[in-house]
Amino acid sequence: MAVQTPPSAVRRRVLGGGRWIPYAFVTPFVLVFLTFMLAPIVIALVNGLYSSQSSGLGFGGAETVFVGLRNYTRAFADADFLVSFGRVALYGLVQVPVMMVIAAVMALLFDSALVRARRFFQFAVFLPYAVPGVIAALLWGFFYQPSVSPLVQGLRAIDIDTDLLAPGTVLWSVANVSIWSNAGINMIILFSALQSLPRDTFEAARLDGAGELRIALNLKLPMIAPAVLLTTLSTVIGTLQLFNEPQVLQSITPNISSDWTPNMAIYAVSTLGRDPHLGSAMAVILGLVTLVVSLVLVRFTNSSSRGGAR
Amino acid sequence: MTAALQDSPPAGTAPPVRSRRVSRTVVSGGERVSRGWMVAATAVVAVASLYFLAPVLWLVIASTKSASDLFSTPGFALADWHLWENVRDLSTYDGGIFWRWALNSVVYSVVGSVLTTLLCAATGYALAVYRFRGRALLIGIVLGSLLVPGTVLAQPTYVLLVNLGLNNTYWGLLLPGLSYPFGVLLAWIFAQNAIPTELLEAARLDGSGEFRTFAGIGLRLMSSGLVTILLFAFLGSWNNYLLPLLVLTDAELMPLTVGLTGWNQASITIPSLQILTVVGSLVSVVPIAIVFLALQRFWRAGLSAGSVRG
């Protein structure tokens, strides 16, 4: 950013006859990229246009026939699949702001020099990120099951009966798992951004009589807007892809169906439903929705930050 | 600070008492802050830390209990020490399949992340050091594919692996992980910042070949950034769940995440598996938490470099 600007103008060409050398460096990556990123996208697009139909008695083997957009119309006619999008949207509307507020407040507090034993507390907030998401879901699963849960037992001791896996509650129980898992990494990213800000700006504001709260909200937060956008964007994308936590918690409650989120529906259709063609069409739909949402979000934040610039 | 304090709902309990402004101030982190605010801020952070630490603490305590004490004793209270018996049961159940899963996870993560890091390093190095035809296209591809959500690719990748005959094999899980465009982006940024042109020119004048220069100078100068890529790639494949769930059917090939969630599901009919799931979770979390926290210095630096420019 500052002193050692990369001398991109002085960057070098290969000397001598080794024009092929850069290609030797990038070829391995390009190969795996083509095979495991581009090819799956093409496969999903093509596969979604076909369907396998068992001929007659079912023993004659299935034959694959071109069906045009029929898989897509089937997907859009599937009420449960559409509801799963609404469910992750509702989930995201709550989970994303709550987690970002926790991460931002923590990061600002850690940055404010107000917190004692900072390293220990940062360790505590970050520790869950080192727990694999699936294991985190298992772990919280024990907190949600009345038979073992210290939480439910503790609340019962003070005469509060809760069912954390009830139909209306389970969505927020799932949200809690991913907030617990991911708040730490977002806090660290925002904290790193805060630490790289120039301190003398705040010193000047302090001399002008600005309080710490005003400095945090009016100076620090706008200055780390790019990092906030980055973390919010990846959280939103993660929300649309929701799979691990509900898939794991599904085994302890009947209130999570096998097509509870779009990704769970894709998984269920491809495995249990034995219809990978429909699964591919659904994956394309989910991919497009994710793409549109992230582009809208980027667009929206760009225009609002330009309009609201001080 | 008041708003910040109230906005912090992590555990939903005990917002710290608004302390009267004490005239005495203390010096913390080179800045003069009031003692009252310091106590308040530290209290907020401490309450939040409780929320983040409690499930991990419960996991440690629960692992030391016998199967029956797990249900009959309060969650956070120690009962008879049963940890070693639990570990022994874990090691012998089903012919020691747990350690097979652990070994698989290690193989998938270590081999996968080392290869991924090498591919990313070579590609990022070439992007930073050489000007070659197709370079702009490659950069466009890398940036564009950041918008493609990974889990959406899982289903078509599974279809592809079935067609290649690689489903239910080690390679089937290892190879797709090698495509890691975000790692290429990071490696490119690190290479730009860390490798001075003059050094490469000098190496060329000394007659060092391009590949030797990369291995001897490039990799070494990029090393702290590469640790970040290595860690994220490692964590990504250690946490991987959807793809192995789709691709692997053979219990002998499964990683810990799939194996343990399978036990959790089966524990409904085989109650003795519940305590094994708890101990197994602890065993799978401890090594990764230690590695991750021990290497903080590296990936923290890497993260801030990535978020400032990325």
Side-chain angles (χ1 to χ4, degrees):
Chain A
M1 280 205 88
V3 197
Q4 13 84 291
T5 320
S8 49
V10 218
R11 288 277 146 168
R12 43 270 165 189
R13 276 154 287 120
V14 193
L15 301 177
R19 287 193 165 280
W20 54 273
I21 283 176
Y23 301 102
F25 276 104
V26 302
T27 298
F29 169 76
V30 170
L31 283 181
V32 293
F33 176 85
L34 290 178
T35 318
F36 293 107
M37 202 119 187
L38 201 61
I41 293 174
V42 174
I43 284 176
L45 289 171
V46 172
N47 208 29
L49 300 175
Y50 286 82
S51 186
S52 61
Q53 290 170 350
S54 47
S55 48
L57 291 166
F59 273 118
E63 74 177 309
T64 310
V65 290
F66 182 81
V67 294
L69 294 177
R70 202 186 300 160
N71 285 324
Y72 289 88
T73 50
R74 278 175 66 201
F76 281 114
D78 181 347
D80 289 336
F81 184 56
L82 299 182
V83 167
S84 73
F85 276 97
R87 188 174 288 123
V88 289
L90 175 65
Y91 169 97
L93 280 177
V94 175
Q95 188 258 356
V96 176
V98 169
M99 185 174 71
M100 290 313 296
V101 167
I102 293 176
V105 169
M106 289 288 129
L108 286 168
L109 284 176
F110 285 130
D111 186 60
S112 71
L114 282 172
V115 175
R116 277 294 153 98
R118 196 171 79 180
R119 290 198 79 81
F120 168 76
F121 288 126
Q122 276 192 329
F123 164 86
V125 176
F126 184 69
L127 183 65
Y129 188 68
V131 178
V134 170
I135 305 291
L138 283 180
L139 200 47
W140 279 101
F142 288 113
F143 274 67
Y144 297 155
Q145 281 166 287
S147 58
V148 270
S149 169
L151 204 61
V152 174
Q153 287 163 2
L155 288 171
R156 193 170 292 156
I158 51 171
D159 271 342
I160 302 175
D161 245 332
T162 44
D163 180 1
L164 298 168
L165 297 166
T169 320
V170 72
L171 187 64
W172 313 120
S173 296
V174 174
N176 173 57
V177 179
S178 67
I179 290 174
W180 184 80
S181 294
N182 296 310
I185 183 72
N186 289 311
M187 179 275 290
I188 294 274
I189 293 173
L190 297 183
F191 177 73
S192 308
L194 284 170
Q195 293 276 294
S196 67
L197 298 178
R199 294 278 128 183
D200 37 356
T201 319
F202 312 133
E203 213 41 66
R206 255 175 226 124
L207 289 178
D208 285 349
E212 288 301 320
L213 178 63
R214 268 196 58 198
I215 293 177
L217 295 182
N218 293 350
L219 279 177
K220 290 182 177 176
L221 220 42
M223 286 171 91
I224 59 163
V228 174
L229 171 63
L230 188 84
T231 45
T232 308
L233 190 63
S234 60
T235 310
V236 170
I237 292 176
T239 300
L240 283 162
Q241 312 305 312
L242 190 64
F243 178 80
N244 291 0
E245 293 86 355
Q247 182 75 20
V248 171
L249 290 175
Q250 196 196 356
S251 68
I252 61 166
T253 172
N255 296 325
I256 297 178
S257 57
S258 64
D259 52 5
W260 206 67
T261 72
N263 247 335
M264 287 175 76
I266 293 168
Y267 173 76
V269 158
S270 306
T271 55
L272 302 171
R274 297 180 185 287
D275 194 347
H277 297 284
L278 180 58
S280 291
M282 287 173 155
V284 170
I285 294 172
L286 176 58
L288 286 177
V289 168
T290 310
L291 190 65
V292 169
V293 168
S294 29
L295 290 179
V296 166
L297 204 61
V298 170
R299 186 67 187 259
F300 171 76
T301 23
N302 273 350
S303 59
S304 70
S305 68
R306 219 172 287 135
R310 277 157 232 261
Chain B
M1 257 320 131
T2 331
L5 297 180
Q6 286 167 352
D7 274 346
S8 170
T13 49
V17 196
R18 202 184 205 288
S19 46
R20 256 172 289 113
R21 229 174 232 294
V22 192
S23 60
R24 277 183 60 194
T25 57
V26 283
V27 173
S28 163
E31 284 165 34
R32 192 153 278 277
V33 293
S34 96
R35 182 173 291 263
W37 283 124
M38 202 181 77
V39 172
T42 307
V44 170
V45 172
V47 169
S49 300
L50 214 56
Y51 163 75
F52 288 105
L53 282 180
V56 179
L57 186 65
W58 178 85
L59 181 66
V60 174
I61 292 173
S63 300
T64 68
K65 292 180 180 176
S66 69
S68 56
D69 283 346
L70 181 65
F71 295 96
S72 59
T73 58
F76 286 102
L78 282 169
D80 290 338
W81 189 261
H82 231 263
L83 179 63
W84 307 124
E85 285 91 332
N86 289 340
V87 172
R88 197 194 55 218
D89 293 347
L90 179 73
S91 307
T92 51
Y93 188 85
D94 202 1
I97 189 80
F98 175 83
W99 295 109
R100 178 67 199 233
W101 293 336
L103 180 69
N104 289 340
S105 273
V106 169
V107 169
Y108 290 129
S109 309
V110 171
V111 176
S113 60
V114 168
L115 288 177
T116 305
T117 307
L118 278 178
L119 292 194
C120 293
T123 313
Y125 176 85
L127 287 176
V129 165
Y130 303 115
R131 292 288 168 275
F132 55 95
R133 193 183 289 262
R135 179 176 172 273
L137 177 67
L138 188 55
I139 291 173
I141 284 173
V142 167
L143 293 177
S145 56
L146 294 181
L147 287 175
V148 180
T151 54
V152 167
L153 290 177
Q155 196 269 353
T157 301
Y158 163 67
V159 175
L160 172 74
L161 290 170
V162 170
N163 286 327
L164 293 174
L166 285 175
N167 60 318
N168 206 23
T169 63
Y170 268 108
W171 290 111
L173 201 51
L174 264 178
L175 291 175
L178 297 184
S179 167
Y180 188 36
F182 182 65
V184 172
L185 179 70
L186 286 180
W188 177 34
I189 293 168
F190 296 136
Q192 264 183 343
N193 289 334
I195 305 174
T197 322
E198 303 75 30
L199 209 59
L200 294 180
E201 298 296 347
R204 269 185 204 127
L205 288 178
D206 285 347
S208 163
E210 297 293 322
F211 297 110
R212 244 188 69 201
T213 311
F214 167 66
I217 298 176
L219 281 184
R220 189 155 348 129
L221 290 177
M222 290 162 77
S223 59
S224 72
L226 295 183
V227 173
T228 313
I229 300 175
L230 189 77
L231 270 171
F232 281 109
F234 182 91
L235 208 64
S237 78
W238 189 267
N239 294 351
N240 205 354
Y241 182 58
L242 178 50
L243 192 64
L245 204 57
L246 281 165
V247 171
L248 304 175
T249 46
D250 197 344
E252 296 273 296
L253 296 176
M254 286 174 180
L256 280 171
T257 47
V258 178
L260 283 174
T261 48
W263 273 2
N264 189 48
Q265 244 162 345
S267 69
I268 295 164
T269 45
I270 316 170
S272 68
L273 276 177
Q274 197 135 31
I275 188 70
L276 293 190
T277 311
V278 170
V279 184
S281 300
L282 180 68
V283 172
S284 72
V285 164
V286 167
I288 188 119
I290 290 173
V291 169
F292 212 73
L293 297 167
L295 293 176
Q296 298 206 47
R297 190 163 62 82
F298 291 99
W299 57 259
R300 272 194 189 208
L303 259 187
S304 45
S307 66
V308 167
R309 308 187 117 250

